[in-house]
Amino acid sequence: MSGHGTPELILVPRPRVREAFDWDDPTIYRWAVHWERDASRSAAWLQMVTETLALAIAPGAAMLLLLWLVKLVWTAGSFWVAVVLGVLALGDYLGSLVVLLRGRASSTWRARAINRPVLASMALACLAWAIAVPGSPIGAGFAGGKPDIPAGQWALYFWEHARATLFLDLPRLLGGRLTSVSPVTPGAVAAALGFRILFGLGVVEMAAAGWRRLGPRTAFHATVRGAWVWCEPISTLDGELRREGRLVAPPDRQEPVRAIELVRKLHHLAR
């Protein structure tokens, strides 16, 4: 990495990235972000927790509100809307995980990768609705002591799974169950397991998002467009974005060689 003159400094709101730098510059730079935080550490933690909970809960709550509005018009249709939206959100979530493993992707997929807590929250809300909405073929696989399980019992059932995930099933072992609702068919068991997995992934994403928000200084490498994408989920926070240098290839860089050709060329030396 080589220097790029005097470091360039701008305030974080992401529109400024496009205004201050050459949008079409293909060069990969090193960027440093410094967040403005309250002097009190406890206030910073409270701010982080509030922001993280809002990021995780608000998308799911909005999705449930949308599905409830659909239910007012067409109860059976709300199930299929939940299935379609849940599959789309889950597909984007899994795709963003692949992006994380690959480390290289388009700006669109990098933005989705940063928004994983939102996608997990939306997928979880859709799954819960698809299970609990009246007439659901998935919900029909649950037994609850009554022909139709009321909404309050479903809420207790989902909370029971949530606290079991958070506290490693200790509340159930020590205090018993909150509701008699339980899965009795393979499809219902798979749905209950899926709820736990999605909730657990959501907790992990919340913790990761909270850590990103609490860290006082973060450095990353990206083009100008990549820096704009990186600032997407934190555009409401106050801070500074500094461009510190650019990545350059060494002058004596060798031409790339296919791996299979290297193996064939040096195979005799491994004997």
Side-chain angles (χ1 to χ4, degrees), residues 106-266:
S106 65
S107 297
T108 300
W109 275 107
R110 283 200 299 270
R112 292 176 181 175
I114 294 173
N115 290 324
R116 280 196 305 271
V118 174
L119 297 172
S121 177
M122 293 172 62
L124 184 65
C126 288
L127 176 59
W129 185 271
I131 292 174
V133 66
S136 166
I138 302 176
F142 288 80
K146 296 180 180 180
D148 294 324
I149 301 174
Q153 289 297 310
W154 279 121
L156 288 175
Y157 178 74
F158 292 134
W159 167 241
E160 187 175 62
H161 274 288
R163 71 170 190 171
T165 304
L166 289 172
F167 303 108
L168 305 178
D169 260 344
L170 289 178
R172 178 182 292 188
L173 294 176
L174 299 177
R177 298 197 56 192
L178 299 176
T179 176
S180 60
V181 177
S182 59
V184 294
T185 64
V189 172
L193 180 61
F195 183 89
R196 282 209 183 193
I197 292 174
L198 274 177
F199 184 85
L201 290 174
V203 171
V204 172
E205 296 295 352
M206 283 178 59
W211 177 255
R212 288 195 297 268
R213 283 162 172 72
L214 188 65
R217 189 175 188 275
T218 303
F220 62 96
H221 295 85
T223 62
V224 174
R225 296 191 183 202
W228 184 90
V229 171
W230 196 93
C231 291
E232 167 78 20
I234 37 73
S235 58
T236 58
L237 304 182
D238 295 326
E240 298 174 342
L241 176 66
R242 183 184 297 270
R243 188 166 72 176
E244 297 184 331
R246 64 179 177 222
L247 294 181
V248 296
D252 56 345
R253 183 179 180 182
Q254 299 285 334
E255 290 296 324
V257 178
R258 292 178 63 86
I260 188 63
E261 295 176 359
L262 180 65
V263 171
R264 290 171 179 171
K265 184 177 181 180
L266 303 178

Side-chain angles (χ1 to χ4, degrees), residues 33 55 57 64 69 81 86 102 129 144 169 182 236 253 257 269:
V33 179
L55 179 67
I57 295 175
L64 290 176
L69 292 175
V81 171
R102 288 183 55 191
W129 185 271
D169 260 344
S182 59
T236 58
R253 183 179 180 182
V257 178
L269 298 178

Side-chain angles (χ1 to χ4, degrees), residues 19-30:
E19 298 169 4
F21 305 107
D22 181 4
W23 182 251
D24 296 318
D25 185 356
T27 307
I28 298 177
Y29 295 97
R30 173 184 168 86

